Amino acid sequence: MPFLLDSDGDLLAWQFPLAHEKTWTDEDSGKRLWIVGYAMERIHIEVEPAPGGRTLVAHLSARIPRVANHWNGIRNALVRHSVNPDVILKAPVRTRWEKGPDGFMHPKSVDYHGATAQIVEACDVAGLPEPPTDLDELSEVRGVHRTGKHPIEKGASAMFLAKLEEHATRVCDQAPVTYQATSVRSSKPTTDFRPYVPADNIVPAPGRTVETTAPHPHPNQQNPSSATPGKEPHPSRFWHRS
């Protein structure tokens, strides 16, 4: 699949995920617990013209999407379809819950919703793989971790970014674009900044005066003083000149 300038997609290391095992001792039972966290290296590329439009500049972003260990709070999943395993789809999911024998809530079923699954079915392609209710093992459907703790922390992202910069410098045979500092400094926003200045606090410019005039009613509309006694005039019948 060629990568074009207007391609809307990233490079994802689906077949070679990162893995890290984390162990801890449960305070209630005293048992030693463990969990394995997975993540995938992802490269986001944006190409835009440089100032002047004579050359192109590629922005490379190193990202590490983490694979969720459970369906709680998960809204999207990465799906690998058997028709074209080189293309990874991102599909919204919806989880239905039920109370288990232990008294805790467990996933009853995970279903696709949104346009992604409908487009696949409309193209007369085999349906998307069934999402598992357990995410302990990697499969063709991987939930996208959102927030909260994960066995793979921030250190992996910094290391991946350094490796990406080194690889791009060697392949492109060009050092990364850097910016040099100048003497121009931008002032920091103040907390006492007012979004507007009242009219009575406006200071006139030197040599000019500010005149205040009373609002005048439209000549073709009723004057408030001539309105029917005891009845308030309708506000839409008058206009004021600002």
Side-chain angles (χ1 to χ4, degrees):
M1 176 177 294
F3 186 86
L4 306 178
L5 292 180
D6 57 349
S7 298
D8 187 10
D10 299 343
L11 302 177
L12 183 66
W14 179 271
Q15 299 179 350
F16 305 97
L18 304 176
H20 180 69
E21 181 178 335
K22 185 176 181 180
T23 60
W24 71 96
T25 302
D26 186 45
E27 297 180 355
D28 298 333
S29 62
K31 295 181 179 180
R32 192 68 175 173
L33 304 178
W34 62 276
I35 188 174
V36 178
Y38 298 95
M40 297 169 289
E41 296 170 325
R42 171 182 170 188
I43 301 177
H44 179 72
I45 305 176
E46 289 185 4
V47 180
E48 65 178 6
R54 296 183 179 181
T55 58
L56 297 177
V57 177
H59 300 270
L60 304 180
S61 301
R63 306 176 181 178
I64 296 188
R66 290 156 177 81
V67 180
N69 298 101
H70 51 78
W71 287 111
N72 186 19
I74 304 304
R75 299 180 180 177
N76 297 281
L78 298 178
V79 185
R80 186 184 187 188
H81 201 284
S82 59
V83 175
N84 191 343
D86 294 332
V87 177
I88 307 300
L89 302 177
K90 184 178 181 181
V93 293
R94 178 176 51 234
T95 306
R96 303 181 186 274
W97 300 84
E98 64 178 356
K99 183 177 292 186
D102 54 358
F104 294 96
M105 301 300 294
H106 298 273
K108 179 180 180 181
S109 63
V110 181
D111 304 320
Y112 298 107
H113 75 96
T116 303
Q118 298 177 4
I119 293 175
V120 172
E121 296 177 356
C123 294
D124 198 16
V125 182
L128 297 178
E130 191 71 19
T133 56
D134 192 355
L135 294 179
D136 291 339
E137 300 293 337
L138 291 180
S139 64
E140 302 302 315
V141 181
R142 303 176 184 179
V144 180
H145 177 76
R146 295 180 59 199
T147 58
K149 296 182 179 180
H150 194 274
I152 298 181
E153 300 180 356
K154 299 180 180 179
S157 301
M159 183 181 300
F160 181 40
L161 178 60
K163 292 297 183 180
L164 176 61
E165 180 180 349
E166 179 183 349
H167 176 74
T169 302
R170 183 176 65 255
V171 172
C172 300
D173 193 19
Q174 181 179 355
V177 178
T178 58
Y179 296 90
Q180 296 181 354
T182 63
S183 59
V184 179
R185 296 290 184 270
S186 59
S187 59
K188 297 181 179 180
T190 59
T191 57
D192 57 349
F193 176 76
R194 296 183 179 181
Y196 66 93
V197 178
D200 53 351
N201 293 342
I202 297 179
V203 179
R208 304 185 64 178
T209 59
V210 178
E211 297 181 357
T212 304
T213 58
H216 300 278
H218 194 277
N220 296 331
Q221 293 183 341
Q222 184 182 11
N223 189 287
S225 59
S226 60
T228 305
K231 183 178 181 182
E232 294 293 335
H234 195 277
S236 62
R237 296 182 180 180
F238 308 96
W239 66 279
H240 303 279
R241 183 176 60 184
S242 58

